[in-house]
C-alpha cells in the first residue's frame, strides 16, 4: 500500500524520466520541420520517446532516418508535457556514430576552433578556396560539403587578439564576461566589437575570460565526448568568473549550451552554477533596460527590418528580447517573419546529403522574406543569417548591429 | 520581464483573456509552455450541448440553457463568470476570428448538430464554416468519404452509426485514394492537410468524388484535412471542384481544424506585437502582502521572472499536467497550495469511463472575482485571476460546455485583471 505523502519539493517522475510523460499526442510531429519536408523521416515522437523505450546504454537502437533530425528542438518547445525529445534523439545519434564511426567531415565540422584557427591563419587562401568552384567540387566529392553552400569567410585578426589591444574603459558600473563563440572570433569580429561597444556605452566593463568552443558543433556532429570535453573546460574556466559577474553570449546556440545543455545533455557536473549566470546578450540588455540602466538616447534608424526568431532562441524560454529592444529605437519598422525553421541548423545544411532538404525546409521562410522586402533580416543565430542570405538573397544582421547603429556606430 | 497583465496558458481561455487585454489597450504577455488541449480540441466551440450531465435531449438555445444553469448552480463557472461575460466573450471571439481571417459561424441562440468521426450527432454552438454543411437539421443526403490507408477516419463506421443513432436513411460511405499515399506510408491528418494545399492533389481527389457521388443535392463529409495554412481558399477550391456541398469532420489528434485556429490566433497576436514566451512553464508565484509580485518561469539555465500588475492563470487541470497529484494531495504549479482532493483514492474515479469523473472536479476554489482562494475563501493573491479548466467543482464533459466556459471565464478573468 502506498502511504507516502506527496513531497512538493521533489521532482515528479516525469521530470526524471520524461519518456513517461509522453501522452502520444503527436503535437511534436506537427511542428517538426524535417517531417514536414520529407516523408522518410519518422518524426520526433517515434524517434524520441517511442524508440527510447527500446534503447539502453548497451544498445543504441539506431533507426533509419535518425541522422535526419536537425536538432532544432522545435518538438521540445511544442510538447505539452515537456518531454526531452531531442535529447533522446541526440544520444542515440551519438551512440550510432560511436558504433559506426564518424566520417572525416563530421570529425572536422565538430571542431570549429581548429577550423577557425587554420582558416584565420590562412585567411586569404582559405576564403579563396571556399569560394572557388573547382575546389568546391573536390570538397563535395572528398569531404561531403555541398558545393552550393556558401561557407563563412575567415578573418585574419581574431576577436581574441583584437580584444587584447582594446583599451579598458576608465569608469564602469559593473563588469560582465563575454562568451564570444567561434563565429565572432574567427568569422565576424565586428559583431564582437559591437557587443563590446554597446556594453561599454552602458557603463559596463567587458571581460573576456579564457574560453573554449561551446561544443555545439561537436554535439550536432554526434561527438558528445568531444563536446563534453569542451564543456568541462568552459565550466572550469568560467565558473569562478560567474561567481563575480554575469556572462553574456551573442550566439543563441552557444548561450543555450552554457545555460542548459551542459547540465542536461552532457551531464557535466557543476555546470548549473555557470548556466544560472549566463544570459543571451539581448536578454541581458533588456534586463538593463527594465532596471532603468540602458541608455536609450538612440538616433533614428529609418529601416524596415524583418526578424526571424532562431529555433534555439525559443528553447531559451525568454521570449524575443531583440524585438523588444529594437522597438525602442525611433524610425525602426520591425516585423516578425514567423515561418519557422530556416533549415540550416548549424552544420546540418552544409552536408552534401542534407543540403537539398535544408533548402526545402527553409523555403517558406525564403518566400516570406522575399515577399516582404526589407533592409535587413535579423536573427540572433549566425547560421540562420547565412541561410537567409543564401536562400532569400537578403542582407542579414545580428540585432546588435541595429542597436549599434542607433548608438551611432556605423 | 515587465508587463501590465501576464496570461499563463495556451488554451482558449488564455487566448480570450489575452485578446480582452489587448482590446483594452493594455500590454499583455503570454506564457506558453507547449501546445494546449486546444490542439486536441474537436474544433468547435461548445457553449452548452446538454442541460445537465445526464440529459439525453440536446440544447436548442444555448443562451437560455446557460441562464438556467446559472440559476440552478450558483457555483458553476458560468455562474461565476456571469451571463454578461458569456455574451461579451463570445462576441469578442467571433469578431476576432473575423479580423484574423477565420470564417466561423454560429450564434448563442442556436446549436448546430454536427456528426463526429464516429457518426455521433454532437451539439455545438460555434463552428468553422467548413463544417456547418454537416448540420443534421438539414435534409440533404450525406456521403461520408474516407481515404484508403488513412486510419483516422472510417466512413463506413460514421455512416452506420449515424443511421443507427439519428435514424437518417440517406447516409452512405465511400473511400477514395489519396495520390502519393501508398499502403507502406505512415501518415497523419497533418500530412494530408499539407497535400490538400496542392491543386493537383486536390483535383485528383475531387475527380474521384465527382465520379462516385451521384445523387443530386448530396453533401460530402470528409475528414478535416482540407488545408492547414490557407484553409479558406483550400476549402473553397475543393468544394468547387467536387461540385457538392462539402463539410469537414474533425479527426482524432492532431486535429487539423484545431491547429488552424490555434496557429492563426497565435500569429495574429504576435503580429500585433504581443509577446509569447515559449518553452518556459510557470512554476512559482512570488506573493508578498497578498499580491503576486512575479511568476517564475522555468527557462533554460535560470528562472525567468514575469512581473505583471495582474495575472490570469488559464490552466487546464489534468490534461496538461498543470496540477501534480500525490496520494493525498494535489498541488498547483504556482502557489504550491494543497487543493481539495477526495480523501479516499477509490472515490476519485467513477466506474464507467464515460460518466462524470470526480477527479475532474479538482481545481482552485474561487472568490466571486475568480481569484484562487484558500479553504476559508480568502484570495491566495489579490491580483491573480483564474480562467478555464483549473476551476474547482465542475466537469464540463457531460454538459459539453468546455469551450464556452473557457471563453466566458477567460474574458471575465481578464476584465478583473484589468480592474485590479
Ligand atoms: C480530445 C479533446 C477534445 C475536445 N473537444 C472539444 C470540443 O470539441 N469543443 C470544446 O468546446 N472543447 C473541447 N475540448 C475541451 C478543450 O480542452 C477546451 O475547450 C479548451 O481548449 C479549453 O481551454 P483552456 O484555456 O481552459 O485550457 P487548455 O486549452 O487546456 O490550456 C491550459 C494551458 O495551461 C498551460 N499550463 C499548464 N501548466 C502550466 C504551467 N506550470 N505554467 C504555465 N502554463 C501551464 C498549458 O500549457 C495550456 O496551455 C476537448 C478537449 C480534449 C482533450
Ligand atoms: S508532443 Fe510530447 S507528449 Fe506529445 S507525442 Fe510528442 S513527445 Fe509525446
Ligand atoms: S529537433 Fe527538430 S528536426 Fe529533430 S525531431 Fe525535433 S523538431 Fe524534428
Ligand atoms: S539555424 Fe536558426 S532557424 Fe535554423 S535550425 Fe538553427 S536556430 Fe533554427
Amino acid at each position: 500500500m502506498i502511504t507516502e505523502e506527496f513531497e512538493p519539493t521533489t521532482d515528479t517522475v516525469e521530470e526524471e524520466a520524461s519518456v513517461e510523460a509522453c501522452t502520444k499526442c503527436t503535437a511534436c510531429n506537427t511542428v517538426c520541420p524535417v517531417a514536414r519536408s520529407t516523408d522518410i523521416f519518422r518524426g520526433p515522437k517515434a524517434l524520441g520517446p517511442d524508440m527510447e523505450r527500446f534503447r539502453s546504454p548497451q544498445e543504441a537502437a539506431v533507426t533509419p532516418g535518425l541522422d535526419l533530425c536537425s536538432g532544432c528542438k522545435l518538438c521540445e518547445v511544442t510538447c505539452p508535457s515537456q518531454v526531452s525529445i531531442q535529447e533522446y534523439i541526440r544520444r542515440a545519434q551519438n551512440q550510432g556514430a560511436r558504433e559506426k564511426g564518424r566520417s572525416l567531415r563530421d570529425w572536422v565540422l565538430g571542431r570549429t576552433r581548429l577550423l577557425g584557427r587554420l582558416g584565420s591563419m590562412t585567411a586569404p587562401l582559405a576564403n579563396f578556396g571556399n569560394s572557388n568552384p573547382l575546389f568546391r567540387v573536390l570538397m563535395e566529392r572528398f569531404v561531403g560539403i555541398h558545393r552550393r553552400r556558401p561557407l563563412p569567410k575567415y578573418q585574419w585578426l581574431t576577436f581574441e587578439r583584437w580584444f587584447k589591444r582594446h583599451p579598458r574603459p576608465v569608469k564602469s558600473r559593473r563588469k560582465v564576461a563575454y562568451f564570444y563563440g567561434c563565429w565572432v572570433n574567427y568569422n565576424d569580429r565586428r559583431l564582437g566589437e559591437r557587443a563590446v561597444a554597446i556594453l561599454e556605452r552602458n557603463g559596463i566593463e567587458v571581460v573576456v575570460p579564457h574560453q573554449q568552443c561551446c561544443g555545439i558543433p561537436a554535439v550536432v556532429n554526434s561527438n558528445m565526448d568531444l563536446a563534453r570535453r569542451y564543456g568541462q573546460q568552459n565550466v572550469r574556466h568560467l565558473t569562478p568568473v560567474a561567481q563575480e559577474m554575469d556572462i553574456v553570449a551573442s550566439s543563441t546556440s552557444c548561450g543555450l549550451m552554457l545555460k542548459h545543455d551542459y547540465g542536461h545533455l552532457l551531464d557535466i557536473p557543476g555546470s548549473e552554477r555557470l548556466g544560472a549566470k549566463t544570459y543571451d546578450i539581448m536578454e541581458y540588455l533588456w534586463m538593463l533596460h527594465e532596471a532603468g540602466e540602458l541608455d536609450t538616447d538612440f538616433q533614428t534608424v529609418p529601416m524596415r527590418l524583418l526578424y526571424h526568431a532562431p529555433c534555439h532562441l525559443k528553447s531559451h524560454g525568454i521570449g524575443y528580447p531583440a524585438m523588444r529592444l529594437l522597438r525602442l529605437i525611433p524610425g525602426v519598422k520591425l516585423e516578425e517573419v514567423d515561418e519557422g525553421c530556416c533549415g540550416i541548423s548549424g552544420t546540418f545544411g552544409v552536408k552534401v546529403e542534407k543540403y537539398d532538404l535544408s533548402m526545402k525546409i527553409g523555403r517558406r521562410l525564403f518566400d516570406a522574406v522575399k515577399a516582404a522586402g526589407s533592409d535587413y533580416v535579423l536573427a540572433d543565430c549566425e547560421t540562420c543569417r547565412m541561410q537567409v542570405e543564401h536562400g532569400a538573397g537578403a542582407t542579414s544582421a545580428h540585432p546588435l548591429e541595429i542597436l549599434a547603429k542607433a548608438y551611432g556606430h556605423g | 520581464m515587465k508587463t501590465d497583465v501576464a496570461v499563463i496558458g495556451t488554451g482558449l481561455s488564455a487566448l480570450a483573456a489575452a485578446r480582452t487585454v489587448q482590446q483594452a489597450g493594455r500590454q499583455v504577455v503570454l506564457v506558453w509552455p507547449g501546445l494546449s488541449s486546444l490542439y486536441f480540441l474537436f474544433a468547435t466551440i461548445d457553449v452548452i450541448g446538454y442541460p445537465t450531465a445526464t440529459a439525453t435531449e440536446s440544447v436548442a438555445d444555448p443562451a437560455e440553457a446557460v441562464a438556467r444553469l446559472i440559476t440552478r448552480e450558483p457555483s458553476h463557472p458560468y455562474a461565476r463568470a456571469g451571463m454578461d461575460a458569456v455574451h461579451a466573450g463570445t462576441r469578442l471571439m467571433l469578431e476576432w476570428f473575423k479580423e484574423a481571417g477565420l470564417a466561423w459561424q454560429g450564434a448563442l441562440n442556436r446549436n448546430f448538430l454536427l456528426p463526429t468521426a464516429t457518426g455521433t450527432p454532437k451539439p455545438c454552438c460555434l463552428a468553422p464554416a467548413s463544417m456547418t454543411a454537416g448540420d443534421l437539421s438539414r435534409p440533404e443526403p450525406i456521403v461520408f468519404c474516407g481515404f484508403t490507408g488513412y486510419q483516422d477516419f472510417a466512413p463506413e463506421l460514421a455512416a452506420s452509426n449515424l443511421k443507427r443513432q439519428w435514424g437518417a436513411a440517406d447516409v452512405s460511405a465511400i473511400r477514395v485514394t489519396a495520390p502519393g499515399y501508398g499502403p507502406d506510408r505512415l501518415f497523419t491528418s497533418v500530412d494530408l492537410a499539407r497535400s490538400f494545399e496542392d491543386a493537383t492533389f486536390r483535383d485528383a481527389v475531387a475527380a474521384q468524388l465527382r465520379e462516385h457521388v451521384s445523387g443530386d443535392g448530396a453533401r460530402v463529409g470528409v475528414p478535416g484535412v482540407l488545408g492547414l495554412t490557407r484553409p479558406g481558399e483550400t476549402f473553397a477550391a475543393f468544394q468547387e471542384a467536387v461540385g457538392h456541398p462539402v463539410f469537414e469532420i474533425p479527426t482524432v489528434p492532431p486535429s487539423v481544424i484545431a491547429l488552424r485556429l490555434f496557429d492563426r490566433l497565435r500569429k495574429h497576436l504576435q503580429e500585433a506585437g504581443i509577446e509569447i514566451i515559449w518553452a518556459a512553464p510557470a512554476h512559482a508565484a512570488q506573493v508578498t502582502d497578498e499580491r503576486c509580485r512575479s511568476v517564475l518561469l522555468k527557462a533554460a539555465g535560470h528562472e525567468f521572472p514575469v512581473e505583471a500588475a495582474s495575472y490570469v492563470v488559464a490552466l487546464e487541470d489534468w490534461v496538461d499536467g498543470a496540477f501534480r497529484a500525490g496520494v493525498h494531495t494535489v498541488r498547483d504549479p504556482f502557489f504550491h497550495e494543497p487543493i481539495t482532493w477526495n480523501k479516499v483514492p477509490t472515490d476519485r474515479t467513477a466506474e464507467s469511463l464515460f460518466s462524470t469523473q470526480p477527479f475532474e472536479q479538482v481545481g482552485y476554489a474561487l472568490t466571486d472575482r475568480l481569484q484562487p482562494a484558500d479553504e476559508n475563501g480568502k484570495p491566495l493573491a489579490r491580483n491573480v485571476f483564474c480562467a478555464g479548466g483549473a476551476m474547482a467543482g465542475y466537469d464540463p464533459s457531460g454538459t459539453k460546455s468546455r469551450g464556452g466556459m473557457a471563453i466566458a471565464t477567460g474574458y471575465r478573468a481578464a476584465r478583473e485583471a484589468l480592474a485590479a
Side-chain angles (χ1 to χ4, degrees), chain B residues 45 180 184 216 251 325 413:
Chain B
I45 294 174
D184 51 348
D216 269 351
T251 60

Side-chain angles (χ1 to χ4, degrees), chain A residues 2 5-6 8 12 25-27 30 39 42 78 80 82 259 275-276 278-279 283 290 314 316-317 319-320 324 338, chain B residues 1-2 33-35 39-40 185-186 190 194 254 266-267 270 275 277-279 299-302 324 326-329:
Chain A
I2 316 165
E5 179 56 8
F6 178 62
T12 49
C25 71
T26 73
T30 64
D39 54 19
R42 307 204 49 181
T78 309
Q82 278 97 43
K259 279 181 174 185
T278 305
Y279 295 88
E283 174 188 15
E290 286 194 335
K314 293 177 181 162
H316 275 250
Y320 302 164
R324 271 176 253 148
D338 185 16
Chain B
M1 69 173 298
K2 293 179 182 160
L35 281 188
Y39 158 85
F40 305 102
R185 180 164 168 196
L186 259 179
V190 175
R194 291 192 178 118
R266 170 181 70 77
K267 285 196 179 188
Q270 279 177 300
E275 178 129 8
I277 317 279
W278 301 93
H302 36 79
R324 292 297 156 98
V327 178
H328 299 297
T329 52

Side-chain angles (χ1 to χ4, degrees), chain A residues 155 166 299:
Chain A
Q155 59 200 6
H166 174 73
Q299 298 179 7

Side-chain angles (χ1 to χ4, degrees), chain B residues 116-201:
Chain B
T116 66
T118 53
T120 308
K122 180 171 177 270
C124 62
C125 184
L126 311 176
S130 63
M131 285 179 65
T132 52
D135 193 2
L136 294 170
S137 66
R138 288 169 55 157
E140 303 101 304
I142 293 177
V143 180
F144 286 113
C145 169
F147 304 108
T148 317
Y150 173 62
Q151 298 170 347
D152 294 349
F153 181 66
E156 303 80 10
L157 174 76
S160 69
N161 261 351
L162 190 65
K163 263 191 206 155
R164 196 162 47 79
Q165 296 191 28
W166 189 241
D170 228 345
V171 183
S172 56
I174 57 166
R175 275 182 194 251
V176 299
T177 55
Y181 291 89
D184 51 348
R185 180 164 168 196
L186 259 179
F187 59 97
T188 67
S189 9
V190 175
D191 300 303
L192 279 174
R194 291 192 178 118
S195 294
F196 263 99
E197 285 173 359
D198 174 54
T200 328
F201 179 92

